Amino acid sequence: MDLPRSIVVRESGSRILNPFDAGKLDTLGRALRLPAGSTVLDLACGKGEMLCTWARDLGFTGTGVDISTAFLADARARARGVGVADRVSFLHGDASGHVAPDPVDVAACVGATWIGGGDTWQDRVAGTVTLLERSLRLGGLLLVGEPFWRRTPPDRRTAEHCHARSVDDFAELPALLDHLDGLGFDIVEAVLADPDSWDRYTAPQWLAVRRWLDAHPDDELATQLRADLLAGPRRHLLYQREYLGWGVLVLMRR
Ligand SMILES: C[S@@+](CC[C@H](N)C(=O)[O-])C[C@H]1O[C@@H](n2cnc3c(N)ncnc32)[C@H](O)[C@@H]1O
């Protein structure tokens, strides 16, 4: 089990694989107001930037789980680079069934709620919080990173430009908050992306792809990635950054 190589190429210039910049990731960690030594489980951890920087700056310890061997190699290198290899560990595997052996203070899924299963955003979010809670100590914090519509797309084509199958594929923010309320959670903190932090996630992918294409013109992925590079900037600048919101909500069981 591994991630498609095209995604690894696209994200090769990034450490944070979500629409947060480093400042927002730091704000989120500090907003939790937890002591050094607090434990974090990060499901679908990507390159482990959240765990590594929180271990370095806040003294947290933690485990990340991801299916991408390439991202995990970067995560382990980053942990060594910032001097926290003794405080964070990274496991290769499908996070959708992963439960920590010991209950943690913080259980997170930031930008991958499909691991919760289901075909609707409601099912994905419900499944993810149910999964995360299985690893959480009583009174611990759940972190869920999820897209939502900042502005309702006027038509299906606009939604598709935002990587949605239809307008119903993502929540409106009021509906997302109501859903979490209905699942029995208090929302105790939130850090939201903005169009500028979206840019920092998406735009570096274009330069990464362009440089990769220059270096690998005959690769079997070249046609697909060339098409991505042609469509990507318009898709993001005209649609995604205008219509799609994203944020991490911090939850506690009521
Ligand atoms: C949008 S990225 C978010 C990564 C990271 N949480 C971050 O914010 O930087 C989604 C991640 O989910 C991982 N992923 C996708 N399906 C997965 C699964 N079933 N189990 C574990 N990881 C998965 C991908 O490899 C990728 O690293």
Side-chain angles (χ1 to χ4, degrees):
M1 170 182 292
D2 212 330
L3 204 62
R5 195 162 58 95
S6 55
I7 300 179
V8 175
V9 171
R10 235 179 264 139
E11 312 245 33
S12 58
S14 308
R15 284 197 178 121
I16 302 171
L17 311 183
N18 70 57
F20 274 180
D21 53 25
K24 286 181 184 289
L25 200 57
D26 181 65
T27 298
L28 177 64
R30 292 181 193 282
L32 305 180
R33 283 182 267 161
L34 289 171
S38 295
T39 53
V40 182
L41 174 69
D42 187 9
L43 296 185
C45 63
K47 298 187 185 182
E49 187 67 2
M50 187 170 86
L51 283 174
C52 289
T53 54
W54 288 3
R56 179 191 64 194
D57 301 335
L58 303 171
F60 295 173
T61 65
T63 301
V65 181
D66 204 279
I67 50 164
S68 170
T69 50
F71 291 172
L72 290 172
D74 285 351
R76 293 183 185 112
R78 179 70 168 151
R80 288 192 297 275
V82 299
V84 299
D86 56 338
R87 268 178 274 157
V88 296
S89 58
F90 295 100
L91 306 176
H92 181 238
D94 183 355
S96 63
H98 186 91
V99 177
D102 300 306
V104 295
D105 300 309
V106 179
C109 175
V110 174
T113 52
W114 56 82
I115 66 168
D119 204 37
T120 64
W121 67 262
Q122 291 92 335
D123 287 347
R124 292 192 294 268
V125 169
T128 297
V129 294
T130 300
L131 172 65
L132 291 175
E133 263 199 314
R134 293 174 63 198
S135 295
L136 195 67
R137 72 162 167 81
L138 202 63
L141 300 173
L142 293 184
L143 272 51
V144 179
E146 183 68 359
F148 56 84
W149 296 118
R150 276 178 74 221
R151 289 167 56 191
T152 307
D155 49 43
R156 188 188 183 105
R157 194 167 161 268
T158 304
E160 287 171 355
H161 279 305
C162 299
H163 301 282
R165 289 167 297 183
S166 72
V167 176
D168 295 335
D169 214 18
F170 298 140
E172 304 274 358
L173 188 53
L176 179 58
L177 302 182
D178 286 349
H179 186 51
L180 291 166
D181 185 35
L183 291 169
F185 290 98
D186 289 329
I187 296 161
V188 296
E189 255 291 0
V191 179
L192 302 187
D194 57 33
D196 291 338
S197 65
W198 259 115
D199 295 346
R200 289 306 85 224
Y201 174 43
T202 306
Q205 298 176 16
W206 311 332
L207 186 57
V209 168
R210 171 57 204 258
R211 286 190 171 149
W212 183 91
L213 283 168
D214 287 351
H216 305 88
D218 300 323
D219 192 282
E220 60 183 7
L221 288 179
T223 306
Q224 179 198 339
L225 286 171
R226 164 55 53 196
D228 282 358
L229 181 57
L230 275 177
R234 284 171 189 76
R235 177 191 277 256
H236 174 69
L237 295 171
L238 303 181
Y239 298 96
Q240 186 173 267
R241 82 189 297 283
E242 295 301 322
Y243 287 94
L244 201 54
W246 192 88
V248 176
L249 302 174
V250 183
L251 314 174
M252 291 180 78
R253 172 62 71 186
R254 193 170 299 136

